[in-house]
Amino acid sequence: MTVSDIRPAPNTFAALRDQLADAAVAFAGAPGAAGDILAGIVDDVDRALTERLEIFPVCHHSPASGLAMVRRLREKQPSVIYLELCEDLRPLLDELRNCRLPVALQAFATDTTGFPADWAPLSVVAPITESSAEYQAIAYALDTPGVELVLVDRSTDHVFQWAPTAESAQTPDEGEQPEDDGLHGAAVGIEIGDLRPRFAELEEHLLHHGKVRHWSEWWDQYVEQPLADADYDTYRQVMVMIGSLFRRLRRGSTAEDEDRERYMWTRMREHLSAGKIDPARVLYVCGAAHAASPVEQFGLESDAAFEISPRSATTWHYGLIPSSHSAIEAQFGLAGGAVSIAAATWAKGLRRGRVQPFQLEGQPGAKKATKKLPLLPAESEAEVADQLSGFLSRPPVLDPLDEAELLEWSVDIVRLARRNGYLASTADAIAIFETSILLAGLRNRARPTPYDFQDAAVTCIEKDRVPGRRDVRRLCEILLGGDRIGQVGYAALPPLARDVLDRLQPLGLDLSKRTLQRALLDLKANPDLRPCSDLLWLLRRLLPQDALRPIMGSRGLGETSIQESWDIGLGKYQRSLVELGYEGVSVEQVLEQRLRRAVTAPDATAAVALGAVEDALVYLGSVRLAGELGNRAVELLAAERTVDDAPVVLRRIRLLLNYFRSTEGGLPAWCERFVTAGYSHYCTLLPTAFAAEETGPAQVAAMLGFLFGMENLALSLGCDHTQLELAVLQSHPEAPAKVALLWAARFQLGMLTMAELRERCDAMLANPLVLPTVPHYVSGFVQAIDPAPALKPFVVELLSKAFGTLPDAVLLPWLPKLITTLKDQAGDLIPGLVREAARTFPGALPAVDAFVPPWSIESATVTMSTAAAPSGPVTELLAAHPAACDALAGLLGIEGSWQQTGSAGHREVTDLLDRFPATAAALATQLGVSAAPS
């Protein structure tokens, strides 16, 4: 039995309690709250050490905790380890031997049954590093026969059950990070031993008087370094004291922490009772803030019950995802490089103390097992002494200056800086060395810390700019260990991820690498690579865009590539690939499920459903699934009350119709129903869309494009053209762009002639009050080109007239507004308008002078046609028998009246009839008219 196995004698910390009480009185003038807090801290330490079940307090990713854990495990050799970690993560721990640390245990759920829908997806991660105390406990338990490892914290389901509903699923430890940087995404982070004070004034006070910038630096200077070589009892008492202090000074509710403690003590008592386990052979590893809990369930002697609520109906998926030092720092609010510095401190502590850490056998990246060091000798039986009083009363004992280490850092950072473009020299190395010592002295430190060295390097090397991608602070992090990135081994991946890697083997690439790799696929020469191409496009649809990037080749409806080139970075985005495995056993199944969920979601629209149909055809080639999704698109379109997605609907249904028309089966039934439903739907909503201010011209133009573009098909399927005419007649817009669209619609329907349209636009250009709104009219006409392509020449004519007739005083202020309006509202139609202008105007400069605009010729022709018809045999014949002309005009739908005959202004026709009368006589004989040519 060692000294730590003996419970402290009563009043062990009485002297310390009295000393702190006197200090509180001297400081505040009365015991008050300060005295209660200080006395409570001592009581918490006393309570934790008197508990029969040995409590091991830790701080997450703390090298001091890791070193103390290794020593204690080799000394005590417990047979049962209780670990503060979500109990349902236990099966994942056996897969750690297939991974390269750091990695994170993850629980993931997309089905949020029992939780608010806006929380989805639910994700919980618990990162593991080699220097963490919990990993040492896990490695010892898994590789030591007869040792049982039990996770006793609440389940991942309870993490969200106990989360404050008003604050969504986020906790104070959660941070949303970009996919590239965080690796953990927006997951809720679970860590053992959150020892950061949630009391802003206290943290600010500690940082100010400690002469540090960040909490990580303060913790390393005043906790990690003094406790790195401390004996076990001192370590345990100090950690419990710190945890108790931060817990008592924490602002806000502690209900969730207390429920966790009740949960853990309840689980431990149940396990001890069921297995009849001797508590002397048990080690309870928990965060220091939980070591001395005030809950009534604390301790083995307590009989207070705690009812554990059942889990929700949410289906949880579990797996391992890669992590990194930077991901851990970002998620838990640590300073940049803090975890890398902790890893360097851990390695140094192992060398200095000749401590052999525990490592899982067969783990990639682990060092080969060396000869194990002998167990530390057991100390003689004695009572636990008060180590805390001596620790608090003496100044911190720090290591003397390690000149060799500091010199090595100074030389290496200069070498690294030169490789990254800095003009550094040996003089800079000397300056860094001296500045590091100077900064440490200014901050009351016996030796420079990595943070002092980092500040010195930035001061001496970094000048006015960064020549490369990395600044000096980042180079120091690389020098001290770098951002180590973990990797999940093949055997620990879910079936879907292993299936993906197996199917991509023909590419001959090592997909575990985190660097981008180029894959060249000649599908014509090597058709066996076609399945790989299909899978790559499918993964491109499901994974982040940077995971797979096509350099050459494309994939669309009815489109195949002959050659393709890809940049593949699946190793870097392993986390996303693992999370796909939580949704199904194959990527095809995952996409099919996502498409079905997309079209059945409460916010699903017809445009979304049509996009799902396109994806089903492009990536899955499933006509059956496309038909199912298409039927849902018809239902969604009929139920919509807005036309916000009309442009997207028009573009996608056109693409699908063109595709199906090129196939052997032709148009499916759902396409026909979609066209008829859309025709009726948009006819019904057209008057409202013209009048509504919230509906833009682009939506109205798309509706007209659907109605006019699909009209032939819709009429053949039984729709009524009169419905469209009535909808246009009932439309009365006020916005200039919509007025132009209405004129275009009436022109397309024959309700407005080109002459009338030209007359209205000429009057608009001649009216000074209307000129400021002309750009909006032009924008409407440009957007009308899609439903009425015949208007392209007229739009060119309108713009030409505006630029040709308007004075500079009007045109110059008007021009910027025209350009911005066209760019914002009709930017995709401008290229077609430019091509029409190129066909209209001469292509060579000499031809400009002789150029006559086509609309001028049309105007002259119209003017001539409205003049009095010259007299002659033809006009007399037609005037004498108008029935034939009236019948022909009625058949062609032409309205007009008979003109008066006037004097023949041109004798060419009459001269021709005089020279050749036989033709006129034969026509008269055929019609039964007796007349002689004049």
Side-chain angles (χ1 to χ4, degrees):
M1 183 177 295
T2 66
V3 66
S4 298
D5 293 324
I6 305 295
R7 286 182 290 171
N11 300 322
T12 300
F13 300 98
L16 177 60
R17 186 182 295 105
D18 296 339
Q19 183 182 356
L20 293 177
D22 295 340
V25 172
F27 177 75
D36 294 341
I37 292 175
L38 294 176
I41 293 172
V42 178
D43 293 338
D44 288 342
V45 176
D46 197 359
R47 186 182 190 191
L49 269 64
T50 55
E51 172 56 38
R52 285 196 302 134
L53 181 65
E54 182 178 342
I55 303 174
F56 190 102
V58 301
C59 175
H60 198 48
H61 305 302
S62 164
S65 295
L67 292 169
M69 175 63 75
V70 173
R71 297 189 186 102
R72 187 56 183 158
L73 289 174
R74 294 194 180 280
E75 178 183 357
K76 182 180 178 69
Q77 296 184 356
S79 58
V80 176
I81 296 180
Y82 293 130
L83 187 60
E84 179 196 331
L85 200 59
C86 295
E87 58 185 4
D88 50 339
L89 297 178
R90 174 61 183 88
L92 295 178
L93 300 180
D94 296 316
E95 297 295 338
L96 286 176
R97 63 179 73 253
N98 298 316
C99 304
R100 180 181 291 108
L101 298 181
V103 296
L105 315 176
Q106 183 182 40
F108 189 88
T110 54
D111 177 19
T112 57
T113 305
F115 300 107
D118 57 348
W119 288 13
L122 306 179
S123 181
V124 172
V125 296
I128 303 291
T129 60
E130 187 176 354
S131 60
S132 59
E134 59 267 27
Y135 172 74
Q136 295 300 316
I138 291 169
Y140 164 81
L142 295 184
D143 281 351
T144 304
V147 178
E148 185 178 5
L149 178 63
V150 183
L151 306 187
V152 294
D153 200 359
R154 82 271 198 231
S155 67
T156 52
D157 196 89
H158 287 91
V159 170
F160 291 94
Q161 284 189 30
W162 296 351
T165 305
E167 299 178 5
S168 182
Q170 292 188 351
T171 69
D173 294 329
E174 178 188 352
E176 294 188 4
Q177 299 298 326
E179 295 285 340
D180 295 342
D181 299 335
L183 287 179
H184 300 168
V188 174
I190 301 299
E191 60 173 332
I192 300 177
D194 177 16
L195 286 186
R196 181 168 184 168
R198 296 179 188 172
F199 185 61
E201 289 80 359
L202 172 63
E203 183 172 339
E204 182 180 356
H205 177 83
L206 294 175
L207 297 183
H208 174 72
H209 289 277
K211 299 180 180 179
V212 295
R213 292 163 302 171
H214 197 275
W215 175 253
S216 302
E217 187 175 356
W218 185 94
W219 181 265
D220 178 78
Q221 175 66 24
Y222 294 99
V223 180
E224 289 294 334
Q225 300 299 335
L227 290 182
D229 296 323
D231 61 88
Y232 177 60
D233 288 321
T234 301
Y235 165 82
R236 196 152 71 119
Q237 293 173 26
V238 171
M239 291 296 288
V240 174
M241 179 200 68
I242 296 175
S244 175
L245 174 64
F246 291 166
R247 183 189 181 111
R248 289 177 178 273
L249 293 178
R250 179 179 300 176
R251 286 184 174 178
S253 174
T254 60
E256 183 179 349
D257 289 337
E258 292 176 355
D259 284 342
R260 290 178 62 188
E261 291 154 3
R262 295 185 180 99
Y263 194 106
M264 290 188 285
W265 281 105
T266 301
R267 288 299 195 206
M268 286 188 291
R269 284 199 299 270
E270 290 175 353
H271 185 267
L272 288 170
S273 176
K276 298 180 180 180
I277 301 171
D278 181 9
R281 304 302 303 164
V282 177
L283 189 65
Y284 169 36
V285 182
C286 68
H290 301 296
S293 173
V295 299
E296 60 276 15
Q297 287 81 4
F298 179 88
L300 298 183
E301 305 302 330
S302 173
D303 57 358
F306 177 67
E307 183 178 355
I308 298 176
S309 60
R311 301 184 186 181
S312 69
T314 298
T315 302
W316 289 92
H317 305 277
Y318 303 93
L320 294 164
I321 61 173
S323 185
S324 66
H325 291 173
S326 61
I328 298 171
E329 292 159 0
Q331 187 161 20
F332 299 112
L334 305 177
V339 179
S340 298
I341 292 174
T345 305
W346 159 261
K348 183 176 181 179
L350 294 177
R351 293 192 304 269
R352 184 170 53 191
R354 297 183 65 248
V355 178
Q356 179 66 41
F358 295 97
Q359 287 182 325
L360 291 172
E361 294 183 4
Q363 188 172 9
K367 297 179 181 178
K368 293 184 179 180
T370 58
K371 184 178 180 181
K372 294 185 179 181
L373 298 177
L375 296 178
L376 298 177
E379 300 181 8
S380 59
E381 190 172 311
E383 291 184 353
V384 174
D386 176 11
Q387 305 290 342
L388 195 55
S389 299
F391 182 86
L392 295 176
S393 60
R394 68 174 180 263
V397 180
L398 300 176
D399 295 336
L401 174 63
D402 189 345
E403 291 190 3
E405 181 184 56
L406 185 58
L407 279 173
E408 183 180 358
W409 286 355
S410 302
V411 173
D412 288 344
I413 191 61
V414 168
R415 182 184 300 113
L416 193 57
R418 290 183 64 84
R419 291 177 183 172
N420 285 268
Y422 289 92
L423 299 177
S425 63
T426 305
D428 293 311
I430 298 173
I432 294 170
F433 179 84
E434 298 295 341
T435 306
S436 300
I437 299 175
L438 176 62
L439 289 175
L442 292 174
R443 295 166 178 173
N444 297 326
R445 299 173 183 172
R447 65 181 297 274
T449 66
Y451 297 96
D452 298 324
F453 166 74
Q454 193 176 61
D455 292 342
V458 172
T459 302
C460 298
I461 297 179
E462 197 163 81
K463 303 301 186 293
D464 56 339
R465 67 183 186 88
V466 178
R469 293 186 299 111
R470 302 182 179 97
D471 58 10
V472 176
R473 191 170 300 279
R474 176 63 182 143
L475 295 178
C476 291
E477 294 175 12
I478 295 174
L479 175 67
L480 297 174
D483 184 16
R484 187 174 303 172
I485 300 174
Q487 189 176 45
V488 180
Y490 176 86
L493 291 172
L496 179 144
R498 294 199 299 267
D499 177 63
V500 167
L501 298 180
D502 293 341
R503 292 165 62 180
L504 293 179
Q505 276 187 353
L507 297 179
L509 302 176
D510 183 4
L511 299 179
S512 62
K513 293 182 178 179
R514 290 184 53 84
T515 56
L516 285 179
Q517 301 180 78
R518 181 64 57 87
L520 302 176
L521 287 74
D522 189 345
L523 302 177
K524 183 176 182 180
N526 192 359
D528 295 339
L529 294 178
R530 179 68 64 179
C532 293
S533 171
D534 297 338
L535 180 58
L536 290 174
W537 285 110
L538 188 54
L539 292 173
R540 166 79 173 174
R541 170 64 173 77
L542 295 173
L543 294 177
Q545 294 300 304
D546 290 338
L548 294 153
R549 187 166 61 247
I551 306 302
M552 180 176 63
S554 60
R555 177 63 61 93
L557 281 176
E559 181 181 337
T560 57
S561 302
I562 300 177
Q563 290 182 335
E564 293 178 357
S565 176
W566 290 82
D567 276 349
I568 302 177
L570 289 178
K572 184 177 181 181
Y573 291 87
Q574 194 181 50
R575 165 183 168 264
S576 300
L577 185 61
V578 169
E579 289 183 350
L580 281 184
Y582 301 154
E583 301 184 45
V585 296
S586 67
V587 288
E588 289 82 4
Q589 180 190 11
V590 171
L591 180 58
E592 184 173 343
Q593 291 176 351
R594 287 191 181 184
L595 295 178
R596 284 199 171 94
R597 284 199 301 267
V599 300
T600 56
D603 57 346
T605 61
V608 172
L610 291 177
V613 172
E614 184 178 348
D615 288 343
L617 294 172
V618 171
Y619 299 109
L620 300 177
S622 175
V623 179
R624 173 194 56 80
L625 179 61
E628 178 184 336
L629 301 176
N631 291 328
R632 176 60 178 167
V634 177
E635 298 174 3
L636 292 172
L637 180 65
E640 287 182 358
R641 292 296 175 263
T642 64
V643 293
D644 296 339
D645 294 333
V648 183
V649 170
L650 175 62
R651 175 171 51 83
R652 289 180 174 172
I653 192 60
R654 277 178 175 172
L655 187 64
L656 290 168
L657 290 176
N658 292 335
Y659 169 75
F660 283 118
R661 284 178 176 134
S662 64
T663 59
E664 184 178 354
L667 292 181
W670 73 265
C671 278
E672 298 177 352
R673 293 197 298 113
F674 190 91
V675 171
T676 56
Y679 189 86
S680 175
H681 178 70
Y682 286 138
C683 282
T684 303
L685 296 181
L686 188 61
T688 305
F690 264 116
E693 294 182 359
E694 61 272 12
T695 304
Q699 283 73 26
V700 177
M703 295 173 67
L704 295 174
F706 187 98
L707 294 172
F708 289 123
M710 311 284 175
E711 186 175 21
N712 291 336
L713 178 59
L715 295 180
S716 68
L717 296 174
C719 292
D720 189 359
H721 177 73
T722 307
Q723 188 178 9
L724 175 58
E725 292 182 346
L726 291 175
V728 172
L729 291 174
Q730 292 172 356
S731 301
H732 303 287
E734 296 181 359
K738 292 183 181 179
V739 171
L741 285 169
L742 180 61
W743 291 351
R746 291 187 174 182
F747 170 78
Q748 188 73 5
L749 291 173
M751 300 178 181
L752 191 67
T753 64
M754 179 60 70
E756 294 172 337
L757 184 60
R758 184 178 287 117
E759 181 181 355
R760 292 185 181 186
C761 292
D762 291 343
M764 180 177 61
L765 291 175
N767 189 344
L769 298 178
V770 182
L771 280 178
T773 63
V774 169
H776 297 287
Y777 281 96
V778 173
S779 172
F781 280 122
V782 173
Q783 294 182 76
I785 290 175
D786 182 78
L791 283 178
K792 280 185 183 180
F794 174 74
V795 178
V796 174
E797 173 188 344
L798 177 61
L799 288 172
S800 300
K801 286 182 178 179
F803 283 100
T805 59
L806 293 178
D808 291 345
V810 176
L811 187 61
L812 291 179
W814 177 71
L815 190 58
K817 186 177 181 180
L818 173 67
I819 295 174
T820 56
T821 302
L822 291 178
K823 179 181 178 182
D824 295 338
Q825 299 183 8
D828 54 336
L829 297 172
I830 295 301
L833 189 63
V834 172
R835 288 192 294 269
E836 180 63 29
R839 287 192 294 267
T840 302
F841 295 104
L845 186 61
V848 174
D849 295 334
F851 172 70
V852 178
W855 51 87
S856 300
I857 301 175
E858 293 179 9
S859 300
T861 304
V862 171
T863 303
M864 290 175 58
S865 63
T866 56
S871 60
V874 175
T875 54
E876 292 173 359
L877 176 63
L878 295 177
H881 303 279
C885 291
D886 291 340
L888 181 60
L891 180 63
L892 298 177
I894 299 175
E895 298 179 0
S897 58
W898 286 90
Q899 302 176 17
Q900 297 292 329
T901 12
S903 59
H906 299 280
R907 297 294 303 170
E908 291 84 355
V909 177
T910 54
D911 292 343
L912 181 63
L913 293 175
D914 290 341
R915 291 171 59 192
F916 304 97
T919 304
L923 179 60
T925 304
Q926 183 70 25
L927 297 176
V929 178
S930 58
S934 57

